């Protein structure tokens, strides 16, 4: 079969064939040798950035490190400056993969990966989805993701969907009327899998439950459902598996890093040990024993363009006691919940919709450091933000226009500049919080 997806990666400069070969080579390393592999790759990436990345040199403060534990913990705060100042020698904005984080943790920023590193990310994703019989070159995806609504951004994403053999459903309105149309698409298209935001897919499952429909009865080609970006609660997983008639697979990732963990066929949340090194640390940055709850800190072993070394992702988790260097298992992930906003018209929008509303203020100059959105009334929202300077009228108008486009007219937004934002006990900053009863 013609491999359109792989070809699209290659045409964009990502050496996917070489990356898949390297990924398979890593997977062939024995359990006994795997700790040596991890230690070698950690040493190599640290030495590379200490030699080639001025920004990382400033963070570390010295050019020689004797022990891994001496390395500072990186946070999103270190990335609140122009990307060009954070790239390693030999890399420019033109020869790397550049993207923005969603800002779901409240700390949005722009990041980069070198092209081989990004190709390895895809090699990993291709491998994991393959566990459930999904082939990106042939399997049809039902995609529950956000999409830019401006003409150029929208067309770019639609083109990507064609190359990924996917059909994208809108998540900005998940009313019953819209979900009827979603169901009709499943009746008329041979989807192999569902992929998207947890909260949106849960709403679809609840809609099917009300109608007493099991999705495989109208779409028998369906093999699995992969949820991402938000916390998956056990009761929601049970509901989805019942209403979809297929396994629900839990994915945990970060765009700036890679796929972090993916549920395997034994219902274990298997961590990506091929391209990442994951640690669980206490409040004093000490490594915790397996089974203990702490901060998730991750090192990207292959990204030469931009350092992510001992990077605190902002989540809390537990590594399973049976974890090994080759097969670490994420026992529990804490704090990636996201609420649903119910609007005056009855429209339901997942909290991640606010990424599309607020991205107009996410700029590479690092002005806005953090933000949260709070729904205080059915038609009223507070945007609390930390910034170097107050948002001006033009920025507020831009956001107002985005609000009308992505949500609906008639909503009231209060912009409140703060010195700092209130965090949960875990240190996590939740981007969207609804203070009204849904």
């Amino acid at each position: 079969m013609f491999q359109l997806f792989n070809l699209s990666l290659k045409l964009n400069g990502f050496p996917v064939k070489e990356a898949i070969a390297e990924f398979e080579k890593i997977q062939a390393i024995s359990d006994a040798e795997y700790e040596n592999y991890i230690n070698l790759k950690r040493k190599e990436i640290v030495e590379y950035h200490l030699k080639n990345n001025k920004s990382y040199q400033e963070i570390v403060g010295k050019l020689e490190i004797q022990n891994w534990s001496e390395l500072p913990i990186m946070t999103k705060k270190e990335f609140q400056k122009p990307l060009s100042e954070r790239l390693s020698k030999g890399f420019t904005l033109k020869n790397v993969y550049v993207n923005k984080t969603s800002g779901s943790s409240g700390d949005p920023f722009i990041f980069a990966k070198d092209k081989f590193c990004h190709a390895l990310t895809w090699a990993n994703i291709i491998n994991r989805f393959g566990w459930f019989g999904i082939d990106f070159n042939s399997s049809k995806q039902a995609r529950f993701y956000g999409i830019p609504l401006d003409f150029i951004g929208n067309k770019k994403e639609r083109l990507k969907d064609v190359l990924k053999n996917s059909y994208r459903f809108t998540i900005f309105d998940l009313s019953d009327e819209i979900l009827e149309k979603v169901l009709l698409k499943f009746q008329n298209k041979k989807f192999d899998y569902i992929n998207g935001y947890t909260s949106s897919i849960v709403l679809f499952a609840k809609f099917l439950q009300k109608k007493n429909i099991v999705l495989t009865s109208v779409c028998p080609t369906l093999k699995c459902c992969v949820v991402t970006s938000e916390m998956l609660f056990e009761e929601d997983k049970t509901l989805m598996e019942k209403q979809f008639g297929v396994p629900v697979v839990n994915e945990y990732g970060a765009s700036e890093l890679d796929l972090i963990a993916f549920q395997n066929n034994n219902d274990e949340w298997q961590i990506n040990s091929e391209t990442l090194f994951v640690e669980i640390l206490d409040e004093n940055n000490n490594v915790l024993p397996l089974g203990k709850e702490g901060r998730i800190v991750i090192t990207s072993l292959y990204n030469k363009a931009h350092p992510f070394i001992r990077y605190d992702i902002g989540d809390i988790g537990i590594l399973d006691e049976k974890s090994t260097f080759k097969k670490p298992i994420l026992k529990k992930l804490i704090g990636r919940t996201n609420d649903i906003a119910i609007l005056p018209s009855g429209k339901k929008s997942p909290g991640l919709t606010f990424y599309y509303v607020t991205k107009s203020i996410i700029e590479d100059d690092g002005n806005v450091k953090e933000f949260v959105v709070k729904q205080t009334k059915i038609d009223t929202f507070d945007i609390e933000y930390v910034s170097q300077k107050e948002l001006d009228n033009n920025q507020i108008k831009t956001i107002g226009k985005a609000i009308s486009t992505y949500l609906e007219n008639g909503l009231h937004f209060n912009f409140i500049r703060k010195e700092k934002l209130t965090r949960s006990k875990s240190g996590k900053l939740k981007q969207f919080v609804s203070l009204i009863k849904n």
Side-chain angles (χ1 to χ4, degrees):
M1 179 174 283
F2 182 56
Q3 297 192 323
L4 182 60
F5 178 74
N6 284 11
L7 180 63
S8 69
L9 288 174
K10 186 178 178 182
L11 291 176
N12 280 295
F14 303 116
V16 66
K17 185 178 177 183
E18 295 83 351
I20 290 171
E22 180 67 20
F23 196 82
E24 290 173 351
K25 189 176 162 186
I26 296 165
Q27 290 188 313
I29 298 169
S30 68
D31 289 29
E33 289 297 316
Y34 215 81
E35 183 177 356
N36 290 337
Y37 160 72
I38 293 291
N39 289 336
L40 176 65
K41 296 311 294 183
R42 288 192 324 188
K43 185 172 182 286
E44 284 179 358
I45 200 67
V46 170
E47 288 179 351
Y48 182 88
H49 285 301
L50 284 177
K51 184 179 178 182
N52 295 287
N53 191 286
K54 187 180 177 184
S55 178
Y56 190 63
Q57 290 167 9
E58 291 170 356
I59 292 167
V60 175
K62 54 183 178 179
L63 294 179
E64 283 194 25
I65 295 292
Q66 300 301 318
N67 299 305
W68 179 255
S69 60
E70 289 178 50
L71 289 167
I73 304 302
M74 302 182 78
T75 69
K76 294 177 174 70
K77 299 287 186 190
E78 271 85 45
F79 310 135
Q80 300 291 338
K81 59 182 179 180
L83 178 59
S84 57
E85 294 177 18
R86 293 182 266 129
L87 293 176
S88 298
K89 254 184 239 174
F91 293 101
T92 68
L93 297 177
K94 292 183 178 179
N95 66 7
V96 295
Y97 168 77
V98 177
N99 204 350
K100 289 181 182 178
T101 64
S102 68
S104 60
S105 64
D107 295 302
F109 67 92
I110 296 173
F111 66 89
K113 293 181 186 178
D114 64 80
K115 293 199 170 182
F116 183 71
C117 176
H118 189 59
L120 271 177
T121 293
W122 277 111
N124 181 17
I125 294 168
I126 289 165
N127 176 261
R128 288 344 191 218
F129 276 75
W131 290 349
F132 293 88
I134 302 303
D135 181 345
F136 283 9
N137 288 295
S138 58
S139 299
K140 184 76 174 173
Q141 177 187 165
R143 190 170 179 81
F144 286 77
Y145 271 75
I147 189 169
L149 297 182
D150 64 281
F151 182 79
I152 294 174
N154 188 278
K155 294 304 178 191
K156 279 183 179 178
E157 290 303 312
R158 290 295 181 194
L159 177 59
K160 287 180 188 176
D161 288 340
V162 170
L163 297 174
K164 290 176 182 174
N165 196 20
S166 69
Y167 181 89
R168 189 181 307 225
F169 295 104
T170 178
I171 62 161
F172 301 119
D173 183 356
L174 294 168
S175 58
D176 285 359
E177 184 183 354
I178 296 297
L179 290 174
E180 282 284 2
K181 294 176 182 177
V182 171
L183 178 58
L184 191 62
K185 282 290 179 188
F186 274 91
Q187 290 172 332
N188 295 329
K189 286 185 179 285
K190 293 181 178 179
F191 289 115
D192 292 282
Y193 66 111
I194 298 168
N195 187 206
Y197 299 152
T198 310
S199 57
S200 303
I201 298 172
V202 169
L203 283 176
F204 183 44
K206 288 178 178 176
F207 168 78
L208 293 174
Q209 184 184 41
K210 275 196 296 186
K211 293 181 71 73
N212 198 25
I213 292 173
V214 175
L215 197 54
T216 47
S217 68
V218 299
C219 185
T221 52
L222 202 62
K223 293 175 183 169
C224 68
C225 167
V226 181
V227 295
T228 190
S229 295
E230 300 162 346
M231 182 72 79
L232 172 63
F233 295 104
E234 199 56 45
E235 58 269 28
D236 288 338
K237 182 178 180 182
T238 301
L239 170 70
M240 286 189 284
E241 290 189 332
K242 181 183 176 185
Q243 297 306 140
F244 297 156
V246 295
V248 171
V249 181
N250 202 358
E251 177 189 274
Y252 170 40
S255 55
E256 68 268 35
L257 293 170
D258 204 327
L259 192 59
I260 299 169
F262 199 83
Q263 181 187 313
N264 63 26
N265 287 293
N266 297 320
D267 208 22
E268 299 166 319
W269 220 355
Q270 186 170 329
I271 286 175
N272 161 21
S273 65
E274 288 92 344
T275 70
L276 301 178
F277 175 63
V278 176
E279 302 172 88
I280 305 293
L281 304 185
D282 66 15
E283 64 276 8
N284 297 315
N285 298 335
N286 298 312
V287 177
L288 287 165
L290 298 176
K292 295 293 183 183
E293 177 185 307
R295 293 151 49 223
I296 299 176
V297 172
I298 302 178
T299 298
S300 178
L301 300 172
Y302 284 86
N303 192 352
K304 291 182 175 180
H306 188 296
F308 287 103
I309 297 170
R310 305 200 86 195
Y311 164 55
D312 188 335
I313 195 170
D315 292 326
I316 304 294
I318 302 171
L319 283 180
D320 199 287
E321 291 85 345
K322 63 187 174 187
S323 296
T324 64
F325 274 92
K326 185 165 186 177
K327 190 181 175 183
I329 302 294
L330 187 60
K331 187 175 186 177
K332 191 175 182 183
L333 179 66
I334 300 156
R336 287 172 68 88
T337 58
N338 220 313
D339 288 335
I340 300 288
I342 296 180
L343 305 178
S345 66
K347 189 180 191 181
K348 297 175 184 176
S349 288
L352 276 179
T353 304
F354 289 92
Y355 162 57
Y356 295 91
V357 173
T358 54
K359 94 172 187 174
S360 54
I361 61 172
I362 299 171
E363 297 175 348
D364 198 17
D365 64 7
N367 178 39
V368 176
K369 302 295 184 185
E370 299 178 318
F371 63 87
V372 293
V373 180
K374 294 181 180 178
Q375 184 175 17
T376 57
K377 298 177 185 175
I378 196 162
D379 65 345
T380 306
F381 299 79
D382 289 347
I383 295 182
E384 298 179 357
Y385 67 97
V386 177
S387 64
Q388 293 172 348
K389 55 187 178 182
E390 196 156 353
L391 295 176
D392 60 38
N393 287 332
N394 286 334
Q395 290 172 308
I396 288 173
K397 282 180 184 175
T398 302
I399 295 166
K401 187 177 177 182
I403 288 164
S404 298
T405 303
Y406 289 103
L407 298 166
E408 61 187 48
N409 292 317
L411 299 177
H412 306 289
F413 277 71
N414 303 312
F415 295 88
I416 305 162
R417 188 181 176 205
K418 293 200 160 193
E419 290 295 318
K420 64 177 183 178
L421 300 177
T422 306
R423 282 178 151 72
S424 66
K425 287 181 182 177
S426 68
K428 186 81 173 175
L429 192 68
K430 196 173 180 185
Q431 187 187 357
F432 175 79
V433 179
S434 178
L435 302 179
I436 62 171
K437 289 184 179 179
N438 290 343

